[in-house]
Amino acid sequence: MDKIIIRGGRRLSGTVPVSGAKNAALTLLPCALLTDEPLTLRNLPRLADIDSFQHLLNQFGVSTSIAGARPEDFGRVMTLQATRLTSTVAPYDLVRKMRASILVLGPMLARAGEATVSLPGGCAIGNRPIDLHLKALEAFGAVIELAAGYVRAHAPDGGLPGGVYTFPVVSVGATENALMAAVLATGTSTLHNAAREPEIVDLCNLLVAMGAQIEGIGTSQLVIHGVPRLHGATYMVMPDRIEAGSYACAAAITGGDVTLAGARIEDMAATIQALTEAGVHVEQTRGGLLVAANGPLRPVTLSTAPFPGFATDMQAQLMAMLCMAKGSSVLTETIFENRYMHVPELNRMGANIDAKGRTAIVHGVERIAGADVMATDLRASMSLIIAGLAAEGETRVHRVYHLDRGYERLEEKLVLLGGDVERIGGD
Ligand code: UD1
């Protein structure tokens, strides 16, 4: 297995291109199931999760082709076409590898009137149930049974009638599944307390480009008037606000200055606020955002929350940065239980973090030191990279496959900024 070696202490400086957003791409791809016409997605990041999703769609008979990508380019253009669906079953092996596979349930049900999807099972960052996905679909008229580890859903003859559903807690994935199911319903559907993440707006924009009728885009109340059919579209995946925020933390911890080319300020207000509170200078430039260290880092107190709050997907990276702040920061994780698995690893590098339940107190230290470290999820792995960039000596990050799920050509981008980072094969 590959590992990434970082020799810390280099100041990051320069411009880094922000890739297409993984979490947006993973909800735009299943929209191909909603039409027999071609869907072309531009700016798709080159990531293991995207390859897995493509493979899953191929299993249903969706044809996919990739065009115009030179190896040195970031991003790809993919055209998908679901002329005829040959299967409506998402098997355990594929769903287990990638939880986002559950996002085929809504569009498959809408298009084919039935879908059988393996239950995703446990996950390293908490239990992550799918009950809200199922309840929303039931409210829209789907009949759902659970049997032998699978969700089997079907629509009454003539398709889903649509309905009204109020989410008891905000769920990104359940909002996405419900939206994709509702666009082809025979009637109107309403979602209350829907997620408002920029990736949901990206999904709505694509659906509208395909002919869907959605009101309230960007708000927590979405009204979807079902249409009989959707058509093809060409669409550009939004920039990855979490990748951009990760490089911002990396720049700040090394005392550097980095321009995040393509980052959108409106998606990143909570991250920018946290960086500003930490004393980091952030400025909108013509093509993105400039992030520059500005004296010693200051401590920050915040809780994760659904958008527009501070994203749980940025918690580990911000925590790594705050390890070297002057003073104690308090971070509270409100979205997922068990999302502090990076804490013991950061502490092994000399950080001083106390995590109890949902709260972590990060006592800033003057120095951290390189070590062999290993992480159990994507963002936790990135926090170790960020710490490694500021650590004295060498950090070896194991289980790089987590990073390959969500960071396009990480080591190349860090080298571009002057980091001393390399990937080596074997273990
Ligand atoms: C998505 C993102 C993930 C991010 C998360 C929160 C993708 C592919 N993944 O995950 O990176 O960390 O949003 O911003 O876009 N819940 C239930 N029942 C459900 C669904 C969710 O109780 O049926 C709970 C979860 O356990 C969690 C909370 O709702 O406590 C939010 O989860 P949700 O927004 O659904 O996360 P995902 O869509 O899985």
Side-chain angles (χ1 to χ4, degrees):
M1 247 184 277
D2 291 2
K3 51 183 171 255
I4 288 183
I5 314 262
I6 306 161
R7 282 167 287 269
R10 298 263 196 114
R11 194 177 160 273
L12 297 189
S13 179
T15 298
V16 65
V18 176
S19 289
K22 171 180 83 80
N23 285 353
L26 291 176
T27 189
L28 301 181
L29 286 165
C31 292
L33 294 167
L34 291 166
T35 174
D36 57 2
E37 294 184 15
L39 169 65
T40 298
L41 296 177
R42 297 168 53 210
N43 199 33
L44 265 187
R46 298 179 191 221
L47 298 171
D49 271 10
I50 303 298
D51 296 341
S52 304
F53 214 109
Q54 180 186 2
H55 184 49
L56 175 66
L57 291 174
N58 291 151
Q59 290 243 330
F60 303 141
V62 180
S63 71
T64 50
S65 62
I66 291 166
R70 295 173 306 169
E72 65 272 29
D73 289 339
F74 290 100
R76 287 184 300 188
V77 180
M78 193 187 291
T79 298
L80 307 100
Q81 189 164 12
T83 310
R84 203 174 62 82
L85 298 180
T86 52
S87 163
T88 55
V89 181
Y92 176 68
D93 259 5
L94 291 175
V95 180
R96 180 182 52 92
K97 251 207 254 163
M98 190 187 39
R99 261 188 63 85
S101 308
I102 191 70
L103 294 175
V104 299
L105 186 60
M108 184 73 89
L109 188 60
R111 167 85 181 276
E114 61 174 48
T116 303
V117 178
S118 170
L119 287 166
C123 167
I125 60 173
N127 278 331
R128 302 186 80 172
I130 58 157
D131 54 322
L132 303 178
H133 297 240
L134 305 185
K135 283 184 181 141
L137 296 177
E138 276 176 337
F140 293 173
V143 177
I144 292 177
E145 336 164 81
L146 298 180
Y150 277 78
V151 178
R152 201 162 294 150
H154 70 266
D157 281 346
L160 291 176
V164 178
Y165 186 68
T166 302
F167 289 101
V169 293
V170 176
S171 164
V172 173
T175 302
E176 292 167 346
N177 242 335
L179 266 164
M180 290 186 279
V183 285
L184 289 177
T186 51
T188 293
S189 305
T190 305
L191 292 170
H192 297 288
N193 200 26
R196 292 185 274 164
E197 268 63 5
E199 292 77 14
I200 304 264
V201 174
D202 220 34
L203 168 63
C204 289
N205 289 342
L206 169 61
L207 291 170
V208 167
M210 294 171 75
Q213 289 186 15
I214 306 172
E215 289 167 31
I217 296 175
T219 74
S220 56
Q221 181 172 309
L222 295 166
V223 179
I224 308 115
H225 304 286
V227 294
R229 61 182 304 275
L230 294 179
H231 51 75
T234 295
Y235 192 79
M236 174 100 162
V237 181
M238 65 175 276
D240 197 317
R241 62 193 173 108
I242 306 299
E243 187 204 28
S246 303
Y247 284 104
C249 292
I253 199 172
T254 66
D257 58 289
V258 165
T259 296
L260 308 164
R264 290 198 314 213
I265 192 166
E266 64 272 26
D267 298 340
M268 296 181 59
T271 296
I272 293 170
Q273 194 186 327
L275 289 165
T276 308
E277 213 180 304
V280 180
H281 174 76
V282 184
E283 184 186 316
Q284 186 165 20
T285 60
R286 265 171 69 93
L289 283 179
L290 167 71
V291 177
N294 187 17
L297 290 168
R298 293 198 296 259
V300 172
T301 291
L302 60 76
S303 295
T304 61
F307 191 84
F310 187 85
T312 173
D313 283 356
M314 274 302 302
Q315 177 257 107
Q317 302 91 306
L318 186 78
M319 186 184 291
M321 184 191 94
L322 293 173
C323 285
M324 298 196 70
K326 280 206 175 319
S328 296
S329 301
V330 183
L331 301 185
T332 304
E333 172 58 57
T334 69
I335 309 291
F336 294 113
E337 74 269 25
N338 199 18
R339 206 172 189 181
Y340 285 140
M341 282 168 308
H342 41 289
V343 167
E345 297 297 290
L346 290 170
N347 282 345
R348 289 179 57 242
M349 296 176 74
N352 181 1
I353 309 165
D354 256 334
K356 268 200 198 77
R358 295 191 165 243
T359 300
I361 303 176
V362 187
H363 305 285
V365 294
E366 298 254 317
R367 53 179 293 271
I368 48 179
D372 277 280
V373 286
M374 153 167 329
T376 38
D377 77 59
L378 169 60
R379 306 304 169 186
S381 307
M382 189 62 194
S383 77
L384 302 176
I385 298 276
I386 291 168
L389 288 165
E392 287 171 18
E394 194 172 281
T395 298
R396 288 167 298 276
V397 180
H398 299 258
R399 296 195 181 161
V400 167
Y401 58 86
H402 286 297
L403 288 161
D404 292 338
R405 285 189 41 225
Y407 287 92
E408 183 173 18
R409 290 150 79 183
L410 172 76
E411 64 278 15
E412 275 179 54
K413 289 193 181 183
L414 289 172
V415 166
L416 204 64
L417 296 174
D420 186 349
V421 180
E422 66 176 322
R423 174 190 291 250
I424 56 166
D427 219 13

